[in-house]
Amino acid sequence: MRSYWQSQHVLASGLVAAVGVVVAYISFTAEPSRAFLFPRIISSFFAVLALWTFGKALVGRTKVGNGLDRAAVLRLGPGLIVALVYIFWAANTLGFYIATALTVFILLTLYDPSPHDEPRNWVRRAIVTACFVAVMYGLFAMLLNVRTPQEILF
């Protein structure tokens, strides 16, 4: 019989594997096909690794921690909600780069342990966000020439 932690590994890796397979399927069926070459490579690699991890969890060969307790799930909850809003609404509605900037800034605000009452910490969060979005733009738009969701501004 499986322990609680083993079941948690099977469930989590199974969900990740399912997402990986769905994302790979979408990237291979989307049009125009030239625009999805990079996502196809990444999603295929992600799906293979996720399925491998799921297989290891099924046979009980995972070697990672003791799973997540209630406190960890509660700490991760707000970030998960922000990520889901980003994926299912913001990236297409606001545009990839604006939504990414907002999401990164919100996540930094939620999880950065530095005090929220010091202006220099807010400036640092804004600089980190700007640098992150600049790197994303450089990678996706300039280096890889990947089509991103576009709406407001770009």
Side-chain angles (χ1 to χ4, degrees):
M1 184 169 165
R2 289 189 192 279
S3 73
Y4 170 74
W5 301 118
Q6 288 173 323
S7 298
Q8 192 177 52
H9 290 302
V10 170
L11 178 64
S13 62
L15 288 173
V16 171
V19 169
V21 169
V22 168
V23 169
Y25 173 77
I26 290 170
S27 70
F28 277 93
T29 58
E31 291 294 329
S33 60
R34 270 191 46 208
F36 292 95
L37 177 60
F38 177 70
R40 285 178 180 167
I41 294 167
I42 296 299
S43 65
S44 297
F45 186 68
F46 174 74
V48 167
L49 289 178
L51 288 169
W52 179 38
T53 303
F54 179 56
K56 284 178 63 176
L58 282 175
V59 297
R61 298 200 56 195
T62 55
K63 296 180 181 177
V64 289
N66 293 327
L68 297 174
D69 59 1
R70 181 176 165 78
V73 171
L74 291 175
R75 282 192 309 270
L76 293 173
L80 181 61
I81 292 168
V82 170
L84 291 173
V85 168
Y86 172 77
I87 291 167
F88 291 109
W89 179 76
N92 283 323
T93 304
L94 302 176
F96 179 75
Y97 299 107
I98 298 296
T100 299
L102 286 171
T103 300
V104 169
F105 190 77
I106 291 168
L107 290 173
L108 282 172
T109 302
L110 287 172
Y111 293 111
D112 184 9
S114 58
H116 287 82
D117 58 351
E118 295 179 16
R120 68 183 176 96
N121 292 328
W122 289 100
V123 170
R124 187 174 41 86
R125 289 180 188 110
I127 290 171
V128 168
T129 299
C131 289
F132 182 83
V133 172
V135 168
M136 295 295 288
Y137 179 76
L139 281 173
F140 288 128
M142 301 175 98
L143 183 65
L144 298 171
N145 201 17
V146 173
R147 196 179 92 202
T148 59
Q150 297 180 352
E151 280 300 321
I152 297 174
L153 298 181
F154 56 104

